[in-house]
Amino acid sequence: MAAGRLTFRNINALAPMVRVGTLPMRLLALDYGADVVYCEELIDIKMAQCRRVVNDVLDTVDFVAPDDRVMFRTCRKEKERVVFQMGTADPDRALAVARLVEMDVAAIDVNMGCPKEYSTKGGMGAALLSDPDKIEAILRKLVSGVSVPVTCKIRILPTLEETVALAQRIEKVGVAAIAVHGRFKDERPQHPVHCDYIQAVARAVSVPVIANGGSLDLVKAYEDIEEFRCATGAASVMLARAAMWNASVFRSQGLLPLERVMQEYLKYAIRYDNHAFNTKYCLCQMLRDKVESPLGKQVQAAQTNAEISEALGLQEFYRQTEEQLQTRRDALQSSSLPSSPVVDGGVITMAVKFERREYPPQITPKMVLLEWSRKQRMEQPLYETVQRPQDRAFQSTVTLDEKKYRSSLWEKSKKFAEQAAAIVCLRFLGVPEGRVGDKDSDLVCKRKREGKANGRAEEERRKKLHAADDVLQELETSEQRVVMKTGSETSERSAD
């Protein structure tokens, strides 16, 4: 750091990687010694629709899309060292996104090197390399429009001269650094990196050049990072696949065992509620050729973070973390939301949660509401439940007599969400909901009557069985008497 601004000289950085560069991997890389971490490329059109949300449960800042998906999640631990990379082909949209996130990141980067179709088809990524005027327009807009450093990441052009000329043009805009992936647009990871191109760029510009592309042949351990830096003449090094396979490559003391790295990654994934599919994807990338091992097969079969935790022996950590997060969630919800009814968009809402221990084993609010609606000759209650993507919590709305009711608190399961909606409806209507200690509802009274009736029926059944046993015993005694008498007469005839 220099005067509060991120420096890009003499650093080792985690490269931007789609689906890999999410918060758990970034934090893990920082733990192991990375100086700077880049998020995965995020498309400007999607980010521009996001709203900034402070997540007090996870202690993060989330950028949430209209469909409630978390597009970007960050936290205080990385704030001074995370670079937000965007995919863009529009200067104005790029600036809008940069201003949305600039207070929560250390720098803004524009992707100009991704050769994948999802990026290039919109004129983004490596497609920008053929349009230097647009490159200059985007970077100039960002440099003059935000308070944090602006950088870009490029691939090399067909000739060394073209590559150097583009880098010099980019430098004049005022960027803080240029990352150079030493491969052509049509080359893939299996092709060797062109260190001479990176070296030529580093000699031609005065801003820091960050060398990228050495994971296949040159960088397999920490000591290789400096060799790659020297081979390219770059100021810094950026690692992608070498870090994806084992993030402890940033560790000066040497690589750690893979399973330990996987466990540390999973702890961050659990702590920050990372989506299970993303967690599984990253773990499978770490396993590489061991993905078909017993551990790999168990990870692949897992569908939830709980199941992944079981595969890696972190069941207790998962349980404790989930309890802590739920406790924090409950405390925040109960302190910030009103318990009296509020009409929200035509829906009657209250801040209530379903606590199973508050109800008798044979009674639930849904059962009470159903019984009450039948007695009132209404159509039975209808439940509509939604799941929130960022934490996979549930919220249900129940419709009864053309009115809608729901709890403003989110529940951990669909069943609990439906019960909470039923509670709101019952409380608003003033109907006893069947809790232990409450005035008995019609359903509770019915269950008690059924219990008494069942008790009387059981007593009658026992009496009948007892009577039958007496009759059977009497018959058996009579039969024994007959047999004894017959046997005596036979003996007498034999004696005669």
Side-chain angles (χ1 to χ4, degrees):
M1 298 294 296
R5 286 173 68 87
L6 189 64
T7 178
F8 292 91
R9 199 173 294 279
N10 298 318
I11 64 162
N12 295 330
L14 176 71
M17 289 179 280
V18 174
R19 290 190 290 177
V20 175
T22 50
L23 183 58
M25 182 62 79
R26 300 197 305 266
L27 294 179
L28 187 66
L30 289 175
D31 283 350
Y32 289 143
D35 301 296
V36 174
V37 290
Y38 285 66
C39 75
E40 61 178 333
E41 178 194 17
L42 294 166
I43 307 303
D44 60 354
I45 294 176
K46 294 181 179 179
M47 282 298 301
Q49 301 175 51
C50 290
R51 67 185 189 279
R52 182 182 183 275
V53 177
V54 176
N55 189 327
D56 291 321
V57 175
L58 298 178
D59 198 18
T60 60
V61 174
D62 299 343
F63 292 85
V64 184
D67 62 0
D68 284 337
R69 284 187 302 154
V70 177
M71 302 302 298
F72 176 58
R73 172 169 285 165
T74 185
C75 66
R76 283 194 298 265
K77 182 175 179 177
E78 68 167 5
K79 182 176 180 179
E80 304 300 327
R81 293 193 283 174
V82 63
V83 179
F84 179 89
Q85 189 190 67
M86 75 171 82
T88 185
D90 182 271
D92 293 329
R93 201 158 51 228
L95 181 59
V97 172
R99 285 178 170 171
L100 176 67
V101 302
E102 70 173 311
M103 300 309 295
D104 300 296
V105 300
I108 303 292
D109 182 81
V110 178
N111 184 336
M112 300 180 180
C114 181
K116 300 294 181 65
E117 184 183 357
Y118 70 83
S119 187
T120 58
K121 69 181 180 182
M124 301 177 292
L128 285 171
L129 297 175
S130 59
D131 193 348
D133 290 340
K134 183 173 286 187
I135 287 177
E136 185 175 337
I138 292 171
L139 292 176
R140 192 176 299 281
K141 194 89 170 183
L142 290 172
V143 169
S144 62
V146 296
S147 60
V148 295
V150 175
T151 65
C152 66
K153 182 171 182 283
I154 67 171
R155 279 191 173 231
I156 58 177
L157 296 176
T159 69
L160 192 149
E161 291 75 20
E162 289 176 289
T163 306
V164 169
L166 177 63
Q168 290 175 330
R169 186 169 180 178
I170 290 172
E171 178 187 24
K172 291 177 182 178
V173 175
V175 296
I178 304 171
V180 181
H181 185 150
R183 291 187 177 86
F184 300 117
K185 186 167 65 173
D186 59 349
E187 288 185 326
R188 293 299 177 265
Q190 65 268 24
H191 295 103
V193 62
H194 300 274
C195 291
D196 55 332
Y197 275 68
I198 302 176
Q199 189 176 64
V201 172
R203 288 173 177 172
V205 298
S206 59
V207 295
V209 169
I210 308 170
N212 177 231
S215 293
L216 178 66
D217 302 315
L218 302 177
V219 181
K220 295 179 174 60
Y222 178 80
E223 54 269 21
D224 299 330
I225 298 176
E226 184 58 30
E227 291 185 16
F228 183 45
R229 191 196 315 269
C230 292
T232 58
S236 300
V237 170
M238 173 185 285
L239 298 180
R241 286 168 303 135
M244 175 180 71
W245 295 328
N246 189 327
S248 67
V249 70
F250 291 111
R251 189 171 176 269
S252 60
Q253 301 92 332
L255 290 169
L256 292 171
L258 180 61
E259 189 163 336
R260 177 175 169 183
V261 175
M262 292 173 69
Q263 288 177 330
E264 293 303 316
Y265 168 82
L266 181 55
K267 287 180 180 178
Y268 274 129
I270 295 168
R271 165 65 182 84
Y272 289 101
D273 197 26
N274 199 51
H275 197 288
F277 291 155
N278 180 254
T279 300
K280 182 166 72 170
Y281 174 83
C282 291
L283 291 172
C284 287
Q285 297 304 306
M286 295 182 203
L287 284 165
R288 299 179 70 189
D289 56 352
K290 297 178 182 177
V291 75
E292 293 302 322
S293 66
L295 174 59
K297 289 180 179 179
Q298 197 172 355
V299 171
Q300 289 186 79
Q303 297 298 311
T304 64
N305 279 334
E307 292 174 356
I308 299 172
S309 300
E310 185 175 351
L312 287 166
L314 292 178
Q315 304 97 310
E316 185 61 21
F317 178 86
Y318 175 82
R319 185 191 64 78
Q320 291 178 356
T321 304
E322 283 296 300
E323 287 182 357
Q324 292 169 3
L325 293 177
Q326 188 59 48
T327 299
R328 194 179 304 171
R329 191 177 292 116
D330 292 345
L332 288 168
Q333 288 180 331
S334 62
S335 64
S336 62
L337 294 169
S339 58
S340 56
V342 175
V343 179
D344 180 13
V347 182
I348 298 166
T349 66
M350 295 175 66
V352 300
K353 290 186 73 67
F354 172 65
E355 299 289 349
R356 188 67 186 88
R357 64 179 179 274
E358 294 182 356
Y359 298 85
Q362 73 276 21
I363 300 295
T364 66
K366 280 185 67 177
M367 294 166 59
V368 173
L369 183 59
L370 179 61
E371 185 73 17
W372 184 85
S373 64
R374 286 173 175 169
K375 186 177 180 181
Q376 301 299 316
R377 300 182 183 279
M378 295 178 177
E379 293 187 8
Q380 70 178 39
L382 295 177
Y383 295 85
E384 182 181 356
T385 305
V386 296
Q387 186 177 23
R388 187 168 58 186
Q390 61 260 43
D391 60 1
R392 298 181 293 285
F394 293 86
Q395 188 179 61
S396 185
T397 301
V398 61
T399 302
L400 181 68
D401 195 25
E402 299 182 354
K403 292 184 176 64
K404 297 180 181 292
Y405 307 84
R406 69 163 170 251
S407 172
S408 53
L409 307 184
W410 292 72
E411 293 279 5
K412 61 184 179 182
S413 72
K414 179 176 181 290
K415 291 181 179 179
F416 275 39
E418 291 177 347
Q419 298 291 357
I423 292 171
V424 173
C425 182
L426 290 166
R427 291 186 184 177
F428 185 82
L429 296 172
V431 178
E433 62 199 67
R435 287 191 302 180
V436 175
D438 281 358
K439 176 185 175 182
D440 288 346
S441 65
D442 292 340
L443 181 59
V444 174
C445 293
K446 180 180 178 181
R447 290 287 186 267
K448 288 182 177 180
R449 289 195 300 272
E450 289 175 349
K452 291 178 181 179
N454 290 339
R456 287 194 294 270
E458 180 64 21
E459 183 64 26
E460 288 295 324
R461 190 177 69 86
R462 283 198 295 267
K463 287 180 180 180
K464 289 179 180 178
L465 287 173
H466 186 66
D469 287 341
D470 290 343
V471 170
L472 183 59
Q473 187 174 359
E474 182 62 31
L475 287 173
E476 289 175 349
T477 303
S478 299
E479 288 176 359
Q480 289 174 0
R481 288 172 182 164
V482 171
V483 171
M484 290 176 63
K485 181 177 180 182
T486 305
S488 177
E489 291 174 349
T490 301
S491 298
E492 289 176 359
R493 286 196 294 270
S494 296
D496 291 340

